[in-house]
Amino acid sequence: MLTGVTGAALAGMLVGGVAAASHDDSAPKPDRLLAQQQDMAALKQKAPEKNTSSKTLAESSSKSASADTKKADTKASASKDAAKKADTGPKAILSGTTTASYFWDDGSGINGDTGAPASGKPMQKGLFASPSWPMNTKVRVTYHGRSITGFIGDRGPGAPSHDGVMLDLDTYTFRYLLDGGKPDSKYDAGTGEGHLQGVKWEVLSWGSGAGTKGEPQPLG
């Protein structure tokens, strides 16, 4: 309880207290409130921008994944096309295995050369000799995964055909089938091997020249 204070003095004190409170720096000022409101508005405007950026990144990732999928599909399609082409290649109408020797007949007389090939065509890579097949018969030979396609252009081998040697290959084909290499010369395969056992042969088409279709038969 206040004592010794008049009503007028008390009123003055109350008025002074209100005035002091109105000048208190801790109370929010209008300018500060306005600045806070502006900051909140700016934050609200930035939020959609972040969402838009996230959406753009998601769309970009989706496009990149789609492009990778298309590339993978293109490669798979190319592989299928290659396999399809392989399947549509020349089909064998007759096949088997034999022991093969090698030769190079060009009239040199080297290694028992008997002169020009019987077909009348010059000696060349891919020209093979058979004891019985028609001249110009198209033949594919395969050995240890390596293949060469050639044609029958000469007769032979002679006596060896009675021992199961049913193909005489040009020197280059022989050496390639053996180890993928090249002969030392047309007349020398450059290896100690004179025969290849287990050569697979496939007749792709019969020639129109002299000879007999079907399984190879010994010469004479």
Side-chain angles (χ1 to χ4, degrees):
M1 179 176 181
L2 296 174
T3 58
V5 179
T6 66
L10 180 60
M13 290 172 64
L14 292 173
V15 172
V18 171
S22 67
H23 289 287
D24 188 355
D25 291 338
S26 64
K29 295 182 180 180
D31 291 343
R32 185 180 298 174
L33 289 174
L34 180 60
Q36 291 176 350
Q37 291 174 352
Q38 289 176 345
D39 290 342
M40 291 296 292
L43 289 173
K44 289 181 180 180
Q45 290 178 354
K46 288 182 178 180
E49 291 179 1
K50 290 182 179 180
N51 292 336
T52 301
S53 177
S54 299
K55 183 178 180 182
T56 302
L57 289 173
E59 290 176 348
S60 178
S61 298
S62 178
K63 289 180 179 179
S64 178
S66 178
D68 291 340
T69 300
K70 287 182 179 179
K71 288 181 179 179
D73 290 342
T74 300
K75 289 182 178 179
S77 178
S79 297
K80 288 181 180 179
D81 289 342
K84 187 176 181 181
K85 286 182 179 179
D87 290 340
T88 57
K91 301 294 184 181
I93 57 179
L94 187 67
S95 64
T97 59
T98 189
T99 297
S101 52
Y102 72 87
F103 77 113
W104 191 277
D105 283 354
D106 59 4
S108 66
I110 298 175
N111 295 336
D113 180 2
T114 57
S119 64
K121 293 185 178 180
M123 191 66 206
Q124 58 193 279
K125 296 177 184 178
L127 190 153
F128 309 152
S130 166
S132 61
W133 285 335
M135 291 294 168
N136 301 315
T137 292
K138 190 175 182 180
V139 182
R140 178 169 57 221
V141 289
T142 303
Y143 185 75
H144 289 179
R146 289 178 287 272
S147 295
I148 290 288
T149 298
F151 68 97
I152 301 303
D154 202 1
R155 284 285 171 247
S161 64
H162 293 272
D163 293 325
V165 184
M166 294 294 185
L167 270 176
D168 223 355
L169 308 174
D170 71 274
T171 314
Y172 291 88
T173 296
F174 183 93
R175 180 59 189 270
Y176 174 75
L177 293 183
L178 176 64
D179 58 11
K182 294 182 180 181
D184 288 351
S185 71
K186 294 183 293 185
Y187 312 107
D188 184 2
T191 173
E193 299 291 337
H195 295 85
L196 298 179
Q197 295 182 346
V199 172
K200 180 180 179 180
W201 54 262
E202 297 172 281
V203 174
L204 305 180
S205 63
W206 295 113
S208 57
T212 304
K213 298 178 182 179
E215 295 289 336
Q217 301 298 319
L219 189 65

